Amino acid sequence: MVTKRIIPCLDIKDGRVVKGVNFNGLNDVSDPVELAEKYERDGADELVFYDITASAEGRRLLTDVLSRVASKIFIPLTVGGAISTIGDFENALSNGADKVSVNSGAIRNPSIIYEASNRFGSQCVVLSVDVKRVDGEYHIFSLGGRYDTGMTAMEWISRGVELGAGEIVVNSIDTDGMKGGFDLPLLAAVSSEVNVPVIASGGAGSVFDFITLFKAVPRVDAGLAASIFHYGEVRIPDLKRDLSAAGVNVRL
C-alpha cells in the first residue's frame, strides 16, 4: 500500500510566509525558516516553498530565503516561483531544492518540462497547475491565478506528463483557503487521467478533509495545506494518527 504524504506549503512574499483566500488577500504568517523547522519536527513528509509573486513581478526566485530554509531541514523540499529556464532549475537545485515546481514558465514554454526532465530526471520536475471552473470547464490559470489561459486542465496536465513531469500539484482556486474540503471532483478527474503522483492542494479545513480525500480519491498521493497548519488548527502528529486510525497508510 502506497504511503500517503502530508505536505505543508510555505507561500513566500517579500521573504515572509503569507496566506490568502482564493489566491487573494495575503496576510503575514511567519518566518519561513522557523516554520520549516517546526514542520520537520512535527513529522511533515515534505515541504513546498513557493515564491508566489516572482512570476508576476518578473524577477528571479528568492534564493537567499530558499538556501536558509534548505540548510535547516532534511525532508524533501520542492521549490517554485519564476521557473522559466534550465538555469532557473539549476539555480533552485544548487540552493537546496530536491524538486523544482514549474507553473507559468511551462505554460509559456512547455519544452522546459522536457528539457528539465532529460537533464535532471523526471523525479525532479513537478508541474504545478492552478485550476478554476469557468462555464462548467476546468481551466488552467497562470501568473498566480491572475490570468485565464483558456486551456482545459486535463489537456494541459496530460501534455505535461507526456513531456516528462514526474509529479502534478493540483491547486484548486475555487477551494483555496475556504477550508471546506479538497476539490474532490477535480482531483478524481486528474487522478484518472495520469499515471504519476498527484498532490491535492486547496481547501483543507480539518482532519476529516484529509481522511475524505484519501478515501474518496485513493489515487491521490499527498495532501498539501497551508493555513490550517500555520495557525495550529490541525497539528501534523494528530492528523497522521487520525489518518492511520482511519486505515490510511502514513509515515508515523
Side-chain angles (χ1 to χ4, degrees), residues 38-39 227-235:
K38 176 187 183 300
Y39 288 142
S227 58
I228 61 167
F229 296 144
H230 297 344
Y231 298 122
E233 297 165 51
V234 172
R235 294 183 65 253

Side-chain angles (χ1 to χ4, degrees), residues 96-216:
D98 298 286
K99 294 184 278 188
V100 180
S101 176
V102 62
N103 190 326
S104 298
I107 292 170
R108 291 190 297 269
N109 176 25
S111 66
I112 188 66
I113 301 172
Y114 178 78
E115 294 169 18
S117 63
N118 273 356
R119 183 156 179 178
F120 307 111
S122 62
Q123 78 284 349
C124 284
V125 183
V126 179
L127 178 60
S128 178
V129 293
D130 298 330
V131 182
K132 185 176 182 178
R133 288 169 179 80
V134 178
D135 297 328
E137 288 188 325
Y138 294 118
H139 279 207
I140 294 290
F141 279 65
S142 64
L143 300 177
R146 296 171 179 84
Y147 175 72
D148 182 357
T149 68
M151 290 191 296
T152 65
M154 302 312 148
E155 172 193 6
W156 173 235
I157 291 168
S158 295
R159 186 180 178 195
V161 172
E162 288 172 3
L163 287 168
E167 193 166 74
I168 305 294
V169 176
V170 181
N171 308 298
S172 170
I173 298 175
D174 293 314
T175 61
D176 177 69
M178 301 300 289
K179 300 182 182 179
F182 290 98
D183 195 331
L184 301 179
L186 169 61
L187 293 163
V190 173
S191 297
S192 66
E193 189 77 17
V194 298
N195 59 358
V196 299
V198 172
I199 298 174
S201 173
S206 67
V207 168
F208 177 74
D209 291 333
F210 283 88
I211 295 172
T212 301
L213 168 68
F214 294 128
K215 292 287 191 179

